[in-house]
Amino acid sequence: MLTERQLLILQVIIDDFIETAQPVGSRSIAKKANINYSPATIRNEMADLEEMGYLEKTHSSSGRIPSERGYRYYVDHMVLHREAADNIQIIRNIMQDGLFEFEQIVQSSAEILSRITNYTSIILGPEVFDTKLKQLQIISLSENTALAILVTNTGHVEHRSFSVPEAINASDLEKMVNILNDRLHGVPIFKLHEKLNDEMLDLMNKYVTDFETSYDYLKAVFLSENPVKLYFGGKTNLLRQPEFNDIDKVRSFYSMIEEEDEIASLLKGAADGIKVTIGHENKVDAIKECSLITATYEMNEEQMGTIALLGPTRMEYKKVITLLDALSTEMSDVLYEWYNNNE
């Protein structure tokens, strides 16, 4: 159990290090307006805090920096969830600024968060089992190539170019797309394979000449497994932090960012409310010198996504926790309204 004096010194050191990224010495602490202890007394307390594992001493300075254990104690016992009123109002204003599509709302949220905090924001889209098909299109690009477009009711657009084999008649593809749009509009995406196999075969056989070849090909084009949907803001923000001057750290971080499945598995199943993971508490090697703070948001009673901020361990925890809490509430409110309007 830390004494009142130790708590005060630990808080001052962490707050200063978050702001400056420089080790904090006893003399600078003694000059603080709210500190009434001598440098010698402060040095003794700092030595005790180091022995208990809350502080670390760097080789280049006589000052101390917080350890991961120190940050964990700070987050669990000392961070007050104070409202950062101006920043929360910015979030509310933008959330209510006429964003009508799911994609816009979520991408905008990621960008707002990274801009306000100067950290990297990542938002994992909900497990949208109720996302529905709005439209399929095939656009001819040349004699042998075309563009397939799939649009959902959430505003999400998937498109991929593909080569059209000589064995497939372009008019047959067009007929099949028209049939699919007519019969599959409003069908949940995860049920498309089932609907295609159970209900569409006889109909296509009736209207399409060589339907089996075209049918198999069309399924491969439109219904290959969709990638995980992640939304990023401020991918380069970590480069501005002194902890990431090491090129190997930068390379490792950006390699991880490219592995969206790995990030998604990191964020999936996040606990309700705010969760703070510090340094080596993170399971992914590339972020073992970072803190990851997550919060959940809801689109309806069954669909939940995750908001995350990634930054150095000397993250501005008070500010970030307050902002994430506010953003998760605002996103949930806006997305509830959006979902009900698009049912």
Side-chain angles (χ1 to χ4, degrees), residues 267-287:
L267 302 184
K268 277 181 181 177
D272 288 349
I274 303 291
K275 180 182 178 184
V276 182
T277 312
I278 300 169
H280 284 74
E281 294 173 359
N282 289 299
K283 296 178 181 178
V284 178
D285 287 341
I287 58 171

Side-chain angles (χ1 to χ4, degrees), residues 87-111:
N87 288 330
I88 291 172
Q89 193 56 49
I90 290 171
I91 290 172
R92 287 175 180 154
N93 290 343
I94 298 178
M95 285 287 94
Q96 296 165 10
D97 195 25
L99 300 175
F100 300 115
E101 295 289 358
F102 174 84
E103 298 270 312
Q104 287 179 290
I105 294 167
V106 180
Q107 185 60 57
S108 226
S109 300
E111 290 165 3

Side-chain angles (χ1 to χ4, degrees), residues 182-195:
D182 182 55
R183 296 302 179 96
L184 298 181
H185 178 82
V187 170
I189 296 295
F190 80 101
K191 288 188 176 179
L192 286 183
H193 273 289
E194 177 187 332
K195 289 282 185 181

Side-chain angles (χ1 to χ4, degrees), residues 144-332:
N144 298 315
T145 60
L147 183 69
I149 301 172
L150 182 150
V151 184
T152 73
N153 68 320
T154 66
H156 178 58
V157 179
E158 292 252 348
H159 53 82
R160 55 179 70 92
S161 57
F162 63 98
S163 299
V164 181
E166 291 183 8
I168 295 179
N169 188 298
S171 63
D172 279 350
L173 281 181
E174 186 176 350
K175 286 179 189 175
M176 292 179 73
V177 169
N178 290 336
I179 292 170
L180 293 176
N181 277 320
D182 182 55
R183 296 302 179 96
L184 298 181
H185 178 82
V187 170
I189 296 295
F190 80 101
K191 288 188 176 179
L192 286 183
H193 273 289
E194 177 187 332
K195 289 282 185 181
L196 279 168
N197 290 330
D198 293 348
E199 299 179 17
M200 306 298 290
L201 291 177
D202 290 341
L203 189 62
M204 289 186 178
N205 191 24
K206 182 177 179 181
Y207 291 103
V208 178
T209 310
D210 183 12
F211 94 95
E212 287 186 354
T213 303
S214 299
Y215 175 72
D216 289 340
Y217 192 72
L218 208 58
K219 279 205 302 183
V221 168
F222 278 118
L223 302 180
S224 59
E225 187 176 348
N226 292 329
V228 171
K229 192 59 185 174
L230 290 170
Y231 305 80
F232 289 91
K235 275 188 177 182
T236 62
N237 281 355
L238 280 182
L239 294 180
R240 301 172 191 168
Q241 307 294 339
E243 292 89 341
F244 280 80
N245 288 336
D246 185 333
I247 191 64
D248 289 332
K249 290 181 183 177
V250 173
R251 188 180 295 114
S252 177
F253 173 74
Y254 280 102
S255 294
M256 183 207 72
I257 287 290
E258 295 303 315
E259 297 294 331
E260 295 200 351
D261 287 340
E262 185 175 17
I263 298 174
S265 65
L266 194 66
L267 302 184
K268 277 181 181 177
D272 288 349
I274 303 291
K275 180 182 178 184
V276 182
T277 312
I278 300 169
H280 284 74
E281 294 173 359
N282 289 299
K283 296 178 181 178
V284 178
D285 287 341
I287 58 171
K288 285 191 180 296
E289 294 187 29
C290 298
S291 283
L292 179 70
I293 304 184
T294 62
T296 53
Y297 67 92
E298 297 178 352
M299 195 158 83
N300 57 39
E301 292 180 358
E302 297 178 351
Q303 299 180 59
M304 181 182 292
T306 306
I307 313 166
L309 265 177
L310 190 60
T313 52
R314 57 178 187 86
M315 189 181 274
E316 294 181 83
Y317 294 99
K318 293 176 185 177
K319 175 181 178 180
V320 167
I321 289 172
T322 302
L323 287 172
L324 275 180
D325 196 26
L327 182 58
S328 67
T329 300
E330 294 300 320
M331 278 185 68
S332 294

Side-chain angles (χ1 to χ4, degrees), residues 22-35:
Q22 296 297 320
V24 183
S26 57
R27 289 188 179 277
S28 66
I29 296 173
K31 293 176 183 177
K32 301 286 183 184
N34 60 332
I35 299 291

